[in-house]
Amino acid sequence: VQLQASGGGLVQAGDSLRLSCTASGRTFTNCNMAWFRQAPGKERAIVGQTIGTRSTHVVDSVKGRFTVSSDSANVVYLQMNSLKSEDTAKYYCAATCGPSRFRGSWDYWGQGTQVTVSS
C-alpha cells in the first residue's frame, strides 16, 4: 500500500495551496483518509479527515480556512486558504480501513509533503 502526497511548497502568508494524496495497493472502500501535520519540535496532529464517503471534518484550529475533500475512495485533498506562518509543517496523509476506523488508529501513511509559509 502506498500513499503519495503532493502539492506542498513555499508560499507567502495569505496564499492558498491544495494538497493531494493518492492511495494505491488495495481497495480503499470502507476506509477513512486523513491529513496530519507535524511542525518542527511538535507532535504530529490531525488536521482533517474523510468520514466514510459522504462526510469530512477539520479540526477547530483550521476551520474556515482548510477543507478536506475527496472525489474517489482513494484520493483525498486538503485545500488550505489564508495560510499563516504557523501552518508551516510537513503534511502527511493517512488511511484507516475496516475496524481500525473505530479504534482511532491509522494503518497507512504517506511520506509527507512540506508546506512552508513565509510571513
Side-chain angles (χ1 to χ4, degrees), residues 14 29-30 32 39 45 48-49 61 68 79 93 96-97 110 114:
T29 52
N30 298 318
N32 296 338
Q49 69 172 97
S61 60
V68 172
Q79 178 67 44
C93 61
T96 181
C97 303
Q114 179 68 36

Side-chain angles (χ1 to χ4, degrees), residues 5 34-38 44 90-94 109-113:
W35 288 98
F36 288 73
R37 67 183 179 184
Q38 187 169 21
R44 189 177 301 187
K90 195 161 190 179
Y91 285 71
Y92 299 86
C93 61
W109 291 87
Q111 84 291 354
T113 184

Side-chain angles (χ1 to χ4, degrees), residues 3-44:
L3 277 68
Q4 182 69 43
S6 62
L10 172 63
V11 297
Q12 293 187 331
D15 285 351
S16 297
L17 273 179
R18 189 193 198 204
L19 306 184
S20 301
C21 176
T22 301
S24 61
R26 60 158 288 161
T27 301
F28 280 86
T29 52
N30 298 318
C31 297
N32 296 338
M33 297 182 73
W35 288 98
F36 288 73
R37 67 183 179 184
Q38 187 169 21
K42 295 188 176 181
E43 294 189 353
R44 189 177 301 187

